[in-house]
């Protein structure tokens, strides 16, 4: 059996956790392939609300092996706290598998993330301050420490001594901070090493052997397409590759192993942190959507910026991810509005752009070209069949599909698993 990829098509927070959790019913493995504890999934299981940051949502199913892949950056203290929290809530985490190739977030990464953001002042990126960018930077500079280094403390210390010399020079000379002591970090990480030991595996072999046994793998992306380091709204991006291509490098699979690429797409758009956002709303409607959609970050609690559905971004996401289908989320949040707007193109100077502009200055100044569609007043959260949605809600979904040029297969009308309507059989 092949692997499926789940990818956010906007700036993250599209509802990937719910989609993964729902699709996990039919798979044996759920793999996180990039990012770290900058992500946050909120999942409603029965009457329990679970918040996950690093552990793949498949952990909730006894038949699923949750995997933290090679492309992830892992903060061991945070992961262990998350595992303890899950165990307290009665979730069995013993089947978690972690790649030894994942990179470790170190205390100096967190500190440098905070300091560089402050240093940037008004130009700041609005990062989650979890040390994600500095950890990926060290990975690319080949001075990162990996999970496997925890199991050869001599090597761990050697690498740490080299990298800490440079980090301490930056901390003290550039930012006027106290240097960090290698021995303190070594002591802290030795404790983590022991606790993490049972979970460390050769996850690449594990996944390939699963495919050979005809089992199904779900590759779960964090963040979203527009936060991708290469394809997003650089520099207002995260430091990894959430796009479907990142799923391959981050899990160690090849393109022929993938058969479905499912884009998780919110019926409107949100963004946290800085950066351009053509359809952003600033009026009472924005407040209404934030309230109705509970648009506050799972990880940082920050209020999300909100705006109308942007078909230019979705067409772009369709291309760069090779999407086979969309999972449309939060349609219920758009109830009780007279008129809905959908951005079908951008205008900049005298030109209209149907596709994502090739230069960031155009994107920064692009004005949305809107279409208006009639809204609906009914509450959608109790609807159990797609055909029973109000006519205007169905027409809205039809139009989003036409503009997106990729089939919308699922429509979600609430946080529970049962509030998901299948559109095409
Ligand atoms: P970083 O990933 O912490 O370096 O933050 C870089 C940018 O990505 C910031 O604008 C963050 O707000 C954004 N970001 C990171 N993770 C998420 C997420 O899970 N959802 C939405 N935005 C995110």
């Amino acid at each position: 059996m092949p692997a499926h990829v789940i990818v956010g098509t906007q700036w993250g927070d599209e509802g990937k956790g719910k989609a993964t959790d729902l699709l996990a019913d039919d798979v044996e493995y759920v793999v996180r392939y990039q990012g770290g504890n900058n992500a946050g999934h909120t999942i409603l299981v029965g009457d329990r609300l679970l918040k996950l940051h690093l552990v793949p949502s498949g952990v909730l199913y006894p038949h699923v092996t949750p995997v933290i892949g090679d492309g992830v950056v892992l903060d061991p203290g945070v992961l262990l706290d998350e595992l303890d929290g899950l165990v307290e809530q009665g979730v069995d985490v013993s089947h978690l598998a972690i790649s030894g190739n994942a990179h470790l977030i170190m205390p100096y990464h967190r500190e440098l993330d905070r300091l560089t953001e402050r240093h940037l002042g008004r130009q700041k990126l609005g990062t989650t301050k979890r040390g994600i960018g500095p950890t990926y930077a060290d990975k690319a500079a080949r001075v990162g420490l990996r999970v496997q280094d925890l199991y050869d403390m001599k090597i761990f210390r050697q690498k740490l001594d080299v990298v800490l010399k440079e980090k301490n020079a930056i901390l003290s000379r550039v930012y006027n901070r106290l240097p960090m002591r290698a021995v303190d970090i070594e002591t802290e990480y030795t404790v983590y090493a022991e606790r993490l030991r049972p979970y460390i595996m050769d996850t690449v072999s594990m996944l390939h052997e699963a495919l050979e046994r005809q089992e199904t793998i779900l590759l779960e992306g964090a963040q979203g397409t527009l936060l991708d380091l290469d394809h997003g709204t650089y520099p207002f991006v995260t430091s990894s590759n959430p796009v479907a291509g990142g799923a391959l490098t981050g899990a160690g699979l090849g393109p022929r192993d993938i058969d479905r690429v499912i884009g998780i797409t919110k019926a409107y758009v949100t963004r946290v942190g800085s950066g351009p956002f053509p359809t952003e709303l600033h009026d009472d409607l924005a407040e209404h959507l934030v309230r109705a959609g509970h648009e506050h970050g799972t990880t940082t609690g920050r209020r999300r910026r909100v705006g109308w559905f942007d078909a230019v971004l979705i067409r772009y996401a369709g291309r760069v991810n090779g999407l086979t289908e969309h999972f449309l989320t939060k349609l219920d949040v758009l109830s009780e509005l007279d008129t809905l707007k959908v951005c079908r193109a951008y205008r900049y100077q005298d030109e209209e752009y149907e596709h994502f502009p090739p230069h960031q200055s155009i994107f920064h100044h692009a004005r949305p070209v809107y279409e208006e569609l009639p809204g609906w007043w009914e509450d959608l959260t109790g609807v159990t069949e797609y055909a029973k949605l109000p006519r205007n809600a169905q027409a809205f979904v039809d139009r989003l599909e036409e503009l997106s040029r990729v089939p919308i297969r699922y429509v979600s009308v609430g946080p529970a698993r049962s509030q998901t309507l299948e559109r095409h059989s």
Side-chain angles (χ1 to χ4, degrees):
M1 291 287 273
H4 315 321
V5 182
I6 281 197
V7 59
T9 59
Q10 294 150 336
W11 279 288
D13 309 315
E14 298 92 350
K16 293 180 291 294
K18 173 181 167 169
T20 307
D21 180 53
L22 187 89
L23 297 168
D25 243 346
D26 301 322
V27 308
E28 280 81 17
Y29 290 79
V30 176
V31 187
R32 257 295 291 278
Y33 57 83
Q34 45 70 233
N37 56 306
N38 48 347
H41 286 339
T42 311
I43 299 164
L44 188 65
V45 187
D47 54 1
R48 281 190 309 171
L49 199 63
L50 290 175
K51 291 194 174 182
L52 301 173
H53 296 288
L54 196 58
V55 179
S57 359
V59 73
L60 304 174
Y61 288 84
H63 72 275
V64 168
T65 303
V67 179
I68 294 181
D70 306 42
V72 170
V73 290
L74 184 154
D75 191 325
V78 175
L79 174 63
L80 287 165
D81 282 349
E82 190 170 323
L83 293 176
D84 288 345
L86 287 169
V87 170
E88 260 171 44
Q89 300 202 58
V91 179
D92 175 14
V93 299
S94 60
H95 45 315
L96 175 69
I98 301 173
S99 165
N101 288 343
H103 276 249
L104 290 168
I105 299 180
M106 306 296 288
Y108 45 83
H109 292 135
R110 288 193 301 267
E111 181 74 348
L112 287 167
D113 199 354
R114 279 192 288 270
L115 292 168
T116 48
E117 277 288 273
R118 201 178 306 159
H119 176 74
L120 285 170
R122 287 187 52 218
Q123 312 292 328
K124 73 173 181 184
L125 304 176
T127 74
T128 59
K129 300 191 183 134
R130 301 295 193 264
I132 307 297
T135 308
Y136 277 115
D138 277 1
K139 171 178 173 174
R142 294 158 295 181
V143 292
L145 281 115
R146 295 189 291 174
V147 168
Q148 59 181 276
D149 294 325
L150 291 170
Y151 302 99
D152 186 340
M153 266 298 155
K154 199 163 144 230
I155 294 283
F156 181 91
R157 183 59 189 262
Q158 269 173 16
K159 291 185 179 178
L160 180 62
D161 283 338
V162 171
V163 75
L164 201 56
K165 213 163 145 196
E166 189 208 5
K167 301 299 177 196
N168 276 338
I170 297 172
L171 285 173
S172 55
R173 290 192 217 145
V174 178
Y175 295 111
N176 205 18
R177 296 272 137 175
L178 287 176
M180 294 185 176
R181 288 177 1 133
V183 63
D184 295 340
I185 298 176
E186 185 186 349
T187 308
E188 183 186 344
Y189 279 63
T190 304
V191 176
Y192 298 148
E194 277 325 299
R195 289 205 54 204
L196 286 176
R197 193 186 286 277
Y199 305 111
I200 313 305
M201 320 239 163
D202 173 0
T203 56
V204 174
S205 297
M206 178 187 233
L207 294 176
H208 282 277
E209 283 157 18
L211 289 174
E212 283 159 20
R213 285 195 302 272
Q214 307 297 310
E215 292 175 347
T216 307
I217 297 170
L218 194 60
L219 300 156
E220 171 187 40
Q223 291 86 43
T225 302
L226 278 306
L227 287 173
D228 186 276
L229 182 60
D230 290 284
H231 301 287
T233 47
Y234 190 89
F236 302 102
V237 293
T238 192
S239 298
S240 64
N241 289 110
V243 296
L248 303 176
T249 46
L253 300 181
R256 288 185 305 153
D257 296 321
I258 308 293
D259 71 337
R260 288 170 73 188
V261 184
I262 306 158
I264 313 303
T265 302
K266 191 144 58 177
Y268 51 97
V269 184
T270 61
R271 164 162 217 176
V272 264
S274 322
F277 184 171
T279 63
E280 184 169 12
L281 292 161
H282 297 281
D283 49 16
D284 289 350
L285 184 55
E287 284 313 312
H288 167 79
L289 289 175
V290 168
R291 242 191 342 268
H294 306 288
E295 296 296 354
H296 283 92
T298 315
T299 297
T300 59
R302 287 181 289 176
R303 177 196 184 279
R304 296 177 184 143
R305 300 157 64 193
V306 293
W308 290 118
F309 187 89
D310 184 338
V312 180
L313 298 185
I314 300 302
R315 283 195 288 271
Y316 178 64
R319 285 181 164 179
V320 297
N321 293 297
L323 295 182
T324 55
E325 63 218 81
H326 282 286
F327 188 124
L328 188 71
T329 61
K330 291 196 159 182
L331 185 66
D332 54 299
V333 174
L334 296 182
S335 287
E336 298 184 23
L337 298 174
D338 270 330
T339 309
L340 302 170
K341 288 191 188 178
V342 175
C343 166
R344 65 163 180 80
Y346 300 145
R347 181 167 290 283
Y348 174 67
Q349 294 176 341
D350 288 334
E351 256 190 85
E352 205 167 286
Y353 291 83
E354 197 186 317
H355 291 290
F356 194 65
H359 197 288
Q360 65 167 2
S361 299
I362 304 175
F363 186 65
H364 276 249
H365 296 109
R367 316 261 319 151
V369 180
Y370 284 121
E371 277 183 21
E372 295 198 351
L373 296 159
W376 58 90
W377 288 83
E378 295 88 335
D379 173 10
L380 307 187
T381 54
V383 177
T384 50
E385 262 177 63
Y386 183 79
K388 295 198 175 142
L389 282 174
R391 216 146 39 105
N392 285 353
Q394 291 193 39
F396 181 73
V397 176
D398 288 347
R399 188 61 188 141
L400 297 195
E401 181 176 83
E402 267 166 30
L403 290 168
S404 308
R405 298 178 193 162
V406 170
I408 295 176
R409 179 154 168 198
Y410 305 93
V411 176
S412 163
V413 290
R417 280 180 200 173
S418 57
Q419 292 169 302
T420 311
L421 317 174
E422 194 154 356
R423 186 154 168 268
H424 296 289
S425 53

